[in-house]
Amino acid sequence: MRLPKKERQRQLKLALQANPFLTDEEMARRHGVSVQTIRLDRMELGIPELRERIKDMAEGNFDRIRSLAPEEVIGEIVDLQLNRSGVSVLEIREEHVFSRNRIARGHHLFAQANSLAVAVIDADVVLTASAAIRFVRPVHLGEKCIAKARVVKSTPHRIQVDVETFVNEERVFQGVFDMYRSREEKGRK
C-alpha cells in the first residue's frame, strides 16, 4: 500500500538522515514509487542528490590526511577521524568490472579498503605490512561500496586497522590490515 505523500516524504527525510548514502533507486524500491517521484520529493524537501550529499559530508567531516595525497585514495573519503576511524565510498563503474559478467574485480575492493586503512593513520609514512582479507560476496556494476575502517590496536610502529565494506548494509568484504608507520615527528601524537 502506498503511503500518502507527506508520510512518504517524512520517511524519506528520516531514512536519508540515518543513511545519507541511499540512492534514489533504493528509496523508490522501499516506497514502491518511481525514481522520479523520489527525486521530486527530494527537491521539495531541499535534499540534494547523492553526489552532493557525499561532497557535503566530505568537506566537513574529516581530519586532514597525512599519509596519502588525495588522488592516491581509492574511493571518496567522507569521514575521517585520524588514528580512530574512517569511511569511504566507491561506486562500481565500467572500469572496475569484468566485461563478461559485470562483477567488480577484487583488487578494486582491496584498494579501497587498503587506502582507507592507510589514510586513517596520522603519520607521514604508512605502509601495509600484512593483510588478511575475505571477499564475502561479488559486487556488481552500479553498486555503491561503503568501506568503514576502525583502528583496533596501536603500538609506536604498528597499527591494526579493521575494514568492512558494505553494499546496502550487506557486508561484501572484510579485512584486517597490519600497518607500519614511521616514528612520529616531535610535537605530534
Side-chain angles (χ1 to χ4, degrees), residues 9-136:
Q9 287 182 343
R10 186 185 74 74
Q11 287 186 15
L12 173 70
K13 192 172 185 178
L14 290 173
L16 289 174
Q17 286 172 345
N19 182 358
F21 305 114
L22 290 172
T23 65
D24 291 344
E25 291 79 8
E26 291 165 334
M27 293 304 299
R29 275 193 303 274
R30 284 184 180 193
H31 294 287
V33 296
S34 70
V35 172
Q36 186 60 31
T37 298
I38 294 297
R39 288 181 181 147
L40 290 169
D41 285 348
R42 267 194 314 94
M43 287 175 57
E44 282 183 33
L45 295 168
I47 298 171
E49 66 180 42
L50 178 64
R51 289 190 193 282
E52 278 299 311
R53 292 194 305 269
I54 290 172
K55 182 180 167 195
D56 290 346
M57 287 180 67
E59 288 174 354
N61 283 342
F62 63 86
D63 295 335
R64 193 177 141 278
I65 300 170
R66 286 184 57 204
S67 54
L68 291 172
E71 64 274 6
E72 296 172 325
V73 175
I74 307 301
E76 186 169 351
I77 294 182
V78 295
D79 184 38
L80 185 66
Q81 308 300 316
L82 290 174
N83 294 327
R84 288 192 304 231
S85 64
V87 177
S88 75
V89 178
L90 175 67
E91 184 174 348
I92 301 302
R93 296 186 301 243
E94 287 287 339
E95 64 267 23
H96 302 126
V97 300
F98 294 108
S99 59
R100 184 172 46 91
N101 56 20
R102 311 305 239 183
I103 292 175
R105 293 186 210 105
H107 65 271
H108 293 293
L109 298 177
F110 174 82
Q112 177 192 20
N114 188 68
S115 70
L116 183 58
V118 171
V120 79
I121 299 171
D122 188 15
D124 291 323
V125 177
V126 179
L127 304 169
T128 304
S130 67
I133 64 169
R134 186 169 81 99
F135 294 94
V136 179

